[in-house]
Amino acid sequence: MERYDYLIVGAGLFGCVFAYEAKKAGKKCLVIDKRPHIAGNIFTKNKDNVNIHVYGAHIFHTSNERVWNYVNQFVSFNNFVNSPIARYRDELYNLPFNMNTFSKMWGVVTPREAREKIDSQIEELHIGEPKNLEEQGLKLVGRDVFEKLIKGYTEKQWGKSCKDLPAFIIKRLPLRFTYDNNYFNDRYQGIAEGGYTRLAEKLLEGTKVLLSCDYFDFIKENPDIAEKTVYTGMIDEFYGYRFGELEYRSLRFETKRLEEENYQGNAVVNYTEREIPYTRIIEHKHFERSQSPVTYITYEYPADWKRGDEPYYPVNDEKNDALYRKYKALADREGKVIFGGRLGQYKYYDMDKVIDAALACADEELK
Ligand code: FAD
Ligand code: UDP
């Protein structure tokens, strides 16, 4: 087989961005992925004029000017603003936590009334410096919002008690005292028009790609295929789990085609009570206001991860971060292998952060 400058393991966003930059710098790359398609978790496929986010809802949002300009070279983004609805039993609330949420929950009207209500609930709890997600959540929004909108959702999402989870997970969610349902605070936001797969296709134009190709089998047969490897799979798997398994959270997606035009009236509806086994239902057509007589919805069921399952989320608590650092110390001594992306760097990265990390990696490597 031909030789390459870089073997890139994983055709997800990190691998695609690195491949594009390397090609631009005159390097010859081979990209492999064990899945039968490119784009990793941002993969979309079109059915009945609807782009389906096969691995869950993907909303692009960033305040990073470089990243925003970068992606806009390849695809256009629409003006979608994520405004999820949270459903707790038969009560519907707006997310993120804002005046619409508080007004519905308590009948308050002004920001001062909302603040007073939350403060009075927090006062009763006597929490010092929050030690875990439960204390963080309670201290942020008080008992009612925590119990109706955070506790059940979080515990099913992560399969653990909120008392055993790191606080940073919900620091992702804004809390504001305005009537603003925008889930994100970032300057730029949208959905890649025509589906995110197009972004991956553009980034990989002119680069050789092998699909349904697992690195561990491939490298046995082709040990000298490339000068260097960029690896975006699981770092613990790369090292044969020699220090033990890192913990991941998996998901099961169940997608249905419905013979109706509009099922839930919003792209994302979260089910925040513990008793319902899924966390959210996505109705894909609303991301792009797609015209179609039918609709596609996806139920997202959180699941424990075991070897062989898809590792969607790293579990960045202290124990796992300490274990990751042991693998990272091995990775730092490699020289010929670069680790990147959500799985290679064991980090709960959003798309913009992955692109930023891939560009930084390419800047450093290709300078
Ligand atoms: P991946 O996309 O996971 O790519 C890694 C690739 O490596 C995979 O295709 C995998 O098959 C391949 N691979 C692994 N091991 C091997 C092997 N041994 N051999 C060959 N190939 C291998 N981000 C946002 O910004 N906004 C959102 O709204 C958002 N929503 C999300 C919703 C969900 C449910 C999830 C799970 C993530 C979400 N993200 C979101 C995060 C986003 O998906 C990631 O930031 C991004 O896709 C990570 O890219 P990556 O290249 O690091 O990893
Ligand atoms: N979360 C919650 N209630 C919700 C939505 C989110 O408690 O209705 C918490 C939950 O712990 C989740 C975290 O906020 O893991 C981050 O949510 P986000 O929507 O950013 O998660 P992602 O899209 O990455 O799964």
Side-chain angles (χ1 to χ4, degrees):
M1 211 179 197
E2 264 179 276
R3 266 182 68 82
Y4 295 84
D5 295 310
Y6 292 98
L7 169 65
I8 300 173
V9 181
L13 206 42
F14 192 100
C16 288
V17 169
F18 189 91
Y20 181 84
E21 293 302 310
K23 183 172 156 268
K24 205 167 71 181
K27 305 291 182 189
K28 207 166 127 197
C29 300
L30 172 65
V31 176
I32 63 168
D33 202 298
K34 64 181 175 185
R35 291 176 176 171
H37 58 75
I38 60 165
N41 285 344
I42 65 168
F43 178 61
T44 50
K45 68 176 173 207
N46 191 285
K47 282 192 175 170
D48 297 303
N49 202 33
V50 178
N51 290 310
I52 297 175
H53 296 204
V54 176
Y55 301 97
H58 277 78
I59 300 115
F60 198 91
H61 57 98
T62 191
S63 295
N64 183 321
E65 198 89 27
R66 182 187 185 197
V67 168
W68 182 243
N69 290 336
Y70 189 79
V71 289
N72 275 276
Q73 299 172 73
F74 306 106
V75 283
S76 309
F77 284 78
N78 70 11
N79 63 354
F80 179 83
V81 170
N82 193 26
S83 312
I85 298 292
R87 182 165 174 174
Y88 176 79
R89 306 212 167 128
D90 284 328
E91 299 167 28
L92 296 184
Y93 294 98
N94 289 107
L95 289 176
F97 311 126
N98 74 82
M99 283 306 298
N100 290 303
T101 327
F102 309 140
S103 166
K104 183 79 185 279
M105 185 126 347
W106 302 307
V108 295
V109 174
T110 65
R112 175 172 306 148
E113 285 168 344
R115 190 70 261 182
E116 279 169 8
K117 183 80 189 165
I118 291 175
D119 286 348
S120 73
Q121 295 201 348
I122 294 173
E123 221 167 276
E124 288 165 16
L125 296 161
H126 305 292
I127 298 169
E129 186 55 36
K131 288 189 292 296
N132 52 47
L133 192 150
E134 175 139 338
E135 293 189 357
Q136 171 74 35
L138 285 166
K139 202 165 177 179
L140 192 70
V141 287
R143 185 173 19 82
D144 291 347
V145 176
F146 178 75
E147 276 171 9
K148 287 188 171 175
L149 302 182
I150 299 179
K151 190 175 165 63
Y153 186 100
T154 299
E155 294 192 340
K156 60 186 167 179
Q157 166 75 1
W158 296 99
K160 288 185 184 179
S161 158
C162 286
K163 295 192 180 86
D164 298 326
L165 284 166
F168 87 90
I169 292 174
I170 52 159
K171 287 194 180 147
R172 291 164 59 90
L173 297 184
L175 163 69
R176 46 174 103 92
F177 290 86
T178 51
Y179 286 90
D180 176 359
N181 294 329
N182 186 343
Y183 198 60
F184 302 113
N185 284 326
D186 283 318
R187 174 149 184 202
Y188 306 107
Q189 182 173 173
I191 302 289
E193 280 174 334
Y196 290 96
T197 303
R198 283 187 53 213
L199 171 60
E201 280 166 2
K202 291 269 178 73
L203 288 164
L204 292 177
E205 237 165 50
T207 296
K208 187 169 165 61
V209 180
L210 295 179
L211 295 174
S212 304
C213 174
D214 190 282
Y215 170 73
F216 299 102
D217 301 330
F218 182 76
I219 203 67
K220 266 187 234 145
E221 313 247 302
N222 304 279
D224 300 317
I225 188 81
E227 193 56 39
K228 280 188 151 184
T229 299
V230 174
Y231 180 86
T232 71
M234 294 153 62
I235 189 168
D236 53 346
E237 184 180 25
F238 184 90
Y239 288 113
Y241 305 101
R242 73 176 71 161
F243 302 131
E245 281 174 5
L246 286 164
E247 204 178 340
Y248 301 89
R249 198 71 186 138
S250 195
L251 296 169
R252 184 170 64 80
F253 296 104
E254 195 182 303
T255 299
K256 287 186 183 163
R257 175 187 197 267
L258 302 179
E259 302 299 314
E260 61 183 296
E261 232 183 288
N262 184 3
Y263 171 71
Q264 63 183 17
N266 204 40
V268 182
V269 177
N270 289 0
Y271 286 76
T272 57
E273 68 199 79
R274 186 73 187 85
E275 292 70 27
I276 291 185
Y278 43 87
T279 46
R280 42 192 176 191
I281 300 180
I282 307 305
E283 187 167 13
H284 302 269
K285 69 191 313 181
H286 299 309
F287 287 120
E288 296 184 68
R289 298 204 176 105
S290 309
Q291 298 304 310
S292 177
V294 297
T295 194
Y296 286 85
I297 60 166
T298 299
Y299 295 79
E300 199 170 310
Y301 292 87
D304 290 337
W305 176 88
K306 55 180 187 332
R307 280 190 208 184
D309 296 340
E310 285 290 349
Y312 289 105
Y313 295 95
V315 181
N316 287 119
D317 60 12
E318 266 173 44
K319 185 181 110 221
N320 286 293
D321 283 350
L323 181 54
Y324 166 68
R325 282 194 293 276
K326 290 172 83 174
Y327 286 115
K328 170 84 167 58
L330 292 180
D332 288 343
R333 292 201 292 272
E334 283 289 346
K336 300 273 182 201
V337 187
I338 300 164
F339 291 81
R342 233 186 205 205
L343 304 174
Q345 292 176 290
Y346 197 67
K347 239 195 192 134
Y348 191 177
Y349 272 141
D350 277 334
M351 291 184 271
D352 62 326
K353 302 292 186 304
V354 165
I355 293 170
D356 194 40
L359 288 174
C361 172
D363 286 348
E364 175 64 26
E365 177 64 23
L366 304 164
K367 70 185 169 206

